[in-house]
Amino acid sequence: MVLLLPDGEADSRRRPSTLSYAVQLPFARSLARAGVGDGLAVHVLRYRWRGWNAADAHPAEDAAWAADEVQRRYGDVPVCLVGHGMGGRAAVRAAGHGAVTSVLAMAPWLPERTADGPEPVKQLMGRRVLIVHGTNDERTDPELSYRLAERAKKANRDTCRFEVHSDGHALRQHRSEVVALAADFVRGSLFTRSYARPVADALAAPPPLGLRMPLAAGFGRSLRH
């Protein structure tokens, strides 16, 4: 099961926009197609509120609720949390849920400090973690996702990070490669499939190599190994 967590805002108790949900649907369909032979199900989460809302961390709460619902409806199936922007932060924060086995954070919004200190990473232990960030992202700082990845790698060696050179927050410029990378990670994490060589190498490499892995042009069109 993949739970897709949309982007949002730092502070807002307005209802989420339909656009934030709709923009995830093509990505959801791509992941579902990639995993159709394995029985992969993909759902896009609808948040209660548009914002993170400081210590309330509403999107992370919603993600944990959704993981509970997966267990209630489908039983003991592994869950990959896939989030973009604020949703990437929600995926990282909710990773401690018992059903979650892997996390994919795309252009995650990760403030340098919270009221309780740095963004926590202990909940990532025992999970496969992939962070993807465009180097030209002007909305969420790629260096902050690198710093979180550094701390996460110390707690959990199954952590890697890819940089999408010249791409921005929406990761549109190299969309096909980003989708292929996401699909490979999801299939490798949820099913008994090997990762493509760049992903396997990034997971195995020590910092900084495995945390600044460039996403190669044409990823997904070449041989997996």
Side-chain angles (χ1 to χ4, degrees):
M1 173 71 66
V2 167
L3 290 176
L4 274 178
L5 312 179
D7 205 349
E9 300 176 10
D11 296 289
S12 175
R13 293 181 187 268
R14 297 171 60 196
R15 301 296 292 176
S17 70
T18 56
L19 179 61
S20 66
Y21 175 86
V23 297
Q24 293 298 326
L25 294 179
F27 184 43
R29 287 192 286 267
S30 295
L31 291 181
R33 282 195 300 270
V36 65
D38 299 304
L40 179 67
V42 182
H43 290 284
V44 182
L45 179 61
R46 294 180 183 268
Y47 301 131
R48 289 169 293 168
W49 309 112
R50 189 174 299 198
W52 181 269
N53 301 323
D56 289 331
H58 285 132
E61 287 187 351
D62 293 346
W65 169 86
D68 283 339
E69 284 294 292
V70 168
Q71 290 184 311
R72 184 178 70 83
R73 297 184 188 188
Y74 300 97
D76 187 20
V77 299
V79 174
C80 179
L81 297 178
V82 179
H84 182 260
M86 184 188 73
R89 186 183 184 190
V92 169
R93 189 70 72 90
H97 191 282
V100 175
T101 61
S102 51
V103 171
L104 169 53
M106 305 170 67
W109 169 58
L110 298 166
E112 193 154 18
R113 293 191 67 81
T114 71
D116 299 321
E119 190 71 20
V121 296
K122 288 184 179 180
Q123 73 281 3
L124 296 172
M125 292 179 65
R127 278 68 176 163
R128 298 287 178 94
V129 181
L130 169 61
I131 297 173
V132 183
H133 219 139
T135 57
N136 288 357
D137 193 333
E138 296 182 352
R139 182 172 174 183
T140 58
D141 189 347
E143 280 305 304
L144 294 183
S145 76
Y146 174 77
R147 292 178 203 170
L148 180 127
E150 272 191 316
R151 292 191 293 111
K153 188 76 171 179
K154 293 176 182 178
N156 174 23
R157 63 186 302 241
D158 290 327
T159 299
C160 65
R161 178 178 172 276
F162 275 73
E163 295 184 335
V164 190
H165 289 289
S166 76
D167 220 334
H169 184 69
L171 296 169
R172 289 195 187 98
Q173 186 172 337
H174 301 285
R175 192 66 177 174
S176 62
E177 288 89 349
V178 170
V179 171
L181 175 64
D184 187 87
F185 177 76
V186 166
R187 295 178 72 206
S189 298
L190 294 181
F191 307 104
T192 55
R193 295 184 176 275
S194 58
Y195 294 111
R197 181 61 60 81
V199 179
D201 288 349
L203 286 167
L209 296 177
L211 305 180
R212 292 196 184 276
M213 186 69 71
L215 181 58
F219 182 96
R221 295 198 298 269
S222 57
L223 293 176
R224 288 178 54 82
H225 301 289

